[in-house]
Amino acid sequence: MLRFLIFTTALISFSTGSFAAKKIEFGKLTQEEINMKYYPPDSSAQAVVLFDVGQDVIEISDLSVRTVRKKHTRIKIFGKGGIRWADQKIMHYKSEFIRSFKGATYNLDASGNVTKDFISKENIFNEKIVDELQYRTFSFPKVKEGSIIEFTYEITLVDGFKHFYNWQFQKPIPVIYSEYNFVYPTVSRHGMLNFNKNMKGYIESEIITNGIGDNKYIMRDIPAFNDVPYLSASENYAAKVEFVFSSIGFPATWENVLKALNENENFNKGMSRNYDIKTIIKTLCENKKSKEEKARAIYNYLKNNFNWNSEYGVLMTQSQKKTFDTKRGNISDINLLLVNLLQLAELKAEPVIGSTREHGFINPHVTPIIYNFNNVICKLTLDSCEVLLDATDKFLPFGYLHKECINGQYLVVGQKPSWTSTHLQNKYQEKIYASLSVDENGTFGGTIQEKKYGYAAVEARTLAANDKKENSLLKTREEALPDYEISNFSITNKDSLESHLGINYTLISNVKNNEIISINPLLLFGENENKFQRDERVYPINFNYPREIVYNGEIKI
């Protein structure tokens, strides 16, 4: 893990204040919580968070910088759909210690008495995510409709400052009460400790204290955050607060972010030339006259011969030589190698870092922090244009990005900070031609020709990637048209990424019912439902990329 700050100071003592504005004790249920049958503001909710209270405290001693997080959560289960909340996860670094963990399920017995069943050690597991990150997973026993579950813990990081501190108020179910307190010493031997605050979401919090060294925020009656169609990621819009370092060791400017990356051997080694691959570069670029032809040859070589392990990250996990020898690595390993090979071919290529959609947006106008980045791609400058490249997806044509990477602004790692947009002009494009007929007996059918371009072709090729008999593309059409018999199914240009993907087939059905012939001229190509059914939408609409669908139909009667 990339770290920028290690220092020692004399012991600093401070008062953290009370743990919560509400008087809360583990196991002390209220009669109101026990009797609650549903949540009145949202009677359809399958569960509700009764309270979610947390605190982050930074403690500095002569030998270490320590962060202690306390968290206490209680949830009421109403329906079967809420039982999934019996399985919980705590994401943390391996260097963090979880202690004082308690968890219990509360139910009413036949006599109306409250029973308590604690989580046993057999129901607590560790699950690796990537690198130093892991989950502590735990399952509550005997959870059913009407149960209350509760857990509390402390988690301690003892080897330095965490990269940032955040608290998410809004969850997929309603929250009655949420409180977060962030406490830190304001002075040290090295000067002031300063943090900047970022508020996200569309709900305002009550500010109990908002001063240097002590910040407490409360939200009440928070509606559930439900993913809606055409939303990039809940991480970008759910109500939350983040505190990030702005001084003392952590980069306070984008210039310092670039400096830290270029001085880190697990990033800058991507541009080293400590092993001979000039022969391969020479072979790839032989007889290639233009810069674009050379770039395409190198890009296709990496994309077709190297395998991405599905892991993201800004830093390389191994040397470039090992990546080259094993033909496998994370997104940084492969795309920094792409940068290196393009540079060896005397092309202008630079690494570009950003954040995937699920990881959240990068805002160039707030406090810089390296840990908000988790992705690396390549920026190639040709004579007349700039091209963004990602060599980890075998089905991406030259100049396309995986849809998970299309997420606002990315930072170009050059001599000076500059930003580039990942929202490119490449389209999702479909052209469909249907030649159909219907006779007096109600027999309806004909031929369909689908031509998929851009991201439509990428999605179709990805779906058919592991099919020896092209079953997936056929199956999706059979499921969409259960009353039709599909035959003569074929695919053209399956492996020609620079060409459109063609899908051709014949279909037939009997659409006569009680002397009435009813046909749907759009077949499976129209929208089956309105994606915007709510009276109000507060979140922006994001289609990933421009979409164009053209349908030409001819029906002979």
Side-chain angles (χ1 to χ4, degrees), residues 167-187:
W167 183 261
Q168 186 155 324
F169 297 96
Q170 200 169 18
K171 301 182 184 299
I173 55 176
V175 179
I176 295 177
Y177 181 88
S178 183
E179 176 189 320
Y180 177 62
N181 193 18
F182 179 58
V183 182
Y184 62 94
T186 58
V187 294

Side-chain angles (χ1 to χ4, degrees), residues 19 48 58-59 68 98 165 228 240-241 248 263 287 298 315 329 340 386 408 428 436 488 494 496 513 533 536:
F19 179 61
V48 65
I58 297 176
E59 301 172 347
V68 179
I98 297 178
Y165 305 83
V228 293
K240 70 184 328 186
V241 61
I248 306 204
E263 291 177 354
N287 299 324
I298 294 170
L315 302 182
N340 197 15
E386 295 178 350
Y428 176 106
L436 307 169
N488 302 322
K494 183 178 179 181
S496 302
N513 183 19
Q533 297 182 5
E536 180 183 27

Side-chain angles (χ1 to χ4, degrees), residues 62-308:
D62 288 334
L63 300 177
S64 67
V65 178
R66 186 175 73 160
T67 301
V68 179
R69 163 164 285 202
K70 297 180 180 180
K71 182 176 171 67
H72 189 181
T73 303
R74 188 178 292 167
I75 301 172
K76 175 80 176 194
I77 310 297
F78 297 128
K80 291 182 180 179
I83 294 177
R84 67 185 183 89
W85 289 88
D87 298 318
Q88 294 282 336
K89 292 182 177 182
I90 304 170
M91 188 173 69
H92 66 100
Y93 290 96
K94 292 180 182 178
S95 57
E96 295 174 321
F97 299 95
I98 297 178
R99 61 183 184 181
S100 303
F101 177 85
K102 288 192 295 185
T105 304
Y106 307 96
N107 287 302
L108 289 177
D109 62 17
S111 302
N113 299 315
V114 176
T115 64
K116 181 189 296 186
D117 293 280
F118 286 98
I119 297 176
S120 64
K121 292 182 179 180
E122 290 75 19
N123 289 327
I124 302 175
F125 308 93
N126 289 323
E127 175 186 341
K128 180 182 176 182
I129 307 175
V130 292
D131 299 331
E132 298 183 23
L133 278 176
Q134 66 181 15
Y135 282 125
R136 174 70 61 88
T137 65
F138 51 97
S139 298
F140 288 88
K142 300 182 180 180
V143 176
K144 58 185 180 180
E145 295 177 48
S147 297
I148 294 176
I149 59 177
E150 180 179 27
F151 63 95
T152 183
Y153 64 86
E154 291 184 15
I155 186 167
T156 304
L157 173 67
V158 296
D159 63 347
F161 279 117
K162 291 177 66 175
H163 53 287
F164 65 89
Y165 305 83
N166 72 78
W167 183 261
Q168 186 155 324
F169 297 96
Q170 200 169 18
K171 301 182 184 299
I173 55 176
V175 179
I176 295 177
Y177 181 88
S178 183
E179 176 189 320
Y180 177 62
N181 193 18
F182 179 58
V183 182
Y184 62 94
T186 58
V187 294
S188 75
R189 180 183 302 170
H190 301 268
M192 294 287 292
L193 294 180
N194 297 312
F195 293 82
N196 281 358
K197 179 190 71 175
N198 295 326
M199 293 294 297
K200 294 185 177 182
Y202 292 80
I203 302 174
E204 292 187 7
S205 67
E206 301 174 33
I207 301 175
I208 306 303
T209 58
N210 187 26
I212 297 175
D214 190 0
N215 298 264
K216 183 178 289 186
Y217 303 90
I218 291 175
M219 288 189 183
R220 306 173 195 268
D221 298 319
I222 309 166
F225 183 92
N226 296 313
D227 280 339
V228 293
Y230 307 120
L231 186 70
S232 60
S234 60
E235 177 69 23
N236 296 321
Y237 304 106
K240 70 184 328 186
V241 61
E242 293 179 345
F243 288 89
V244 295
F245 289 100
S246 62
S247 65
I248 306 204
F250 267 72
T253 65
W254 291 114
E255 286 82 0
N256 286 340
V257 170
L258 299 184
K259 183 174 183 292
L261 280 172
N262 287 320
E263 291 177 354
N264 190 291
E265 63 178 12
N266 290 322
F267 186 87
N268 195 38
K269 272 191 176 179
M271 268 48 78
S272 66
R273 305 182 181 191
N274 58 358
Y275 60 96
D276 188 12
I277 54 173
K278 292 183 179 179
T279 302
I280 295 176
I281 297 296
K282 183 178 179 180
T283 301
L284 291 172
C285 296
E286 191 174 9
N287 299 324
K288 305 295 188 299
K289 296 181 180 180
S290 70
K291 292 180 180 180
E292 182 175 338
E293 287 179 318
K294 293 178 181 179
R296 284 179 179 271
I298 294 170
Y299 169 76
N300 287 330
Y301 168 74
L302 254 74
K303 185 182 64 171
N304 295 329
N305 293 281
F306 287 70
N307 295 311
W308 177 44

Side-chain angles (χ1 to χ4, degrees), residues 254 257-258 261 267 313-315 332 336 350-356 362 369-370 372-379 409-413 418-420 422:
W254 291 114
V257 170
L258 299 184
L261 280 172
F267 186 87
V314 170
L315 302 182
S332 180
L336 286 177
E350 299 168 288
V352 181
I353 62 172
S355 174
T356 57
I362 298 295
I369 181 165
I370 191 68
N372 284 343
F373 297 88
N374 75 329
N375 192 25
V376 179
I377 57 176
C378 170
K379 175 188 170 186
Q409 298 290 313
Y410 273 41
L411 177 65
V412 180
V413 184
S418 64
W419 296 85
T420 187
T422 56

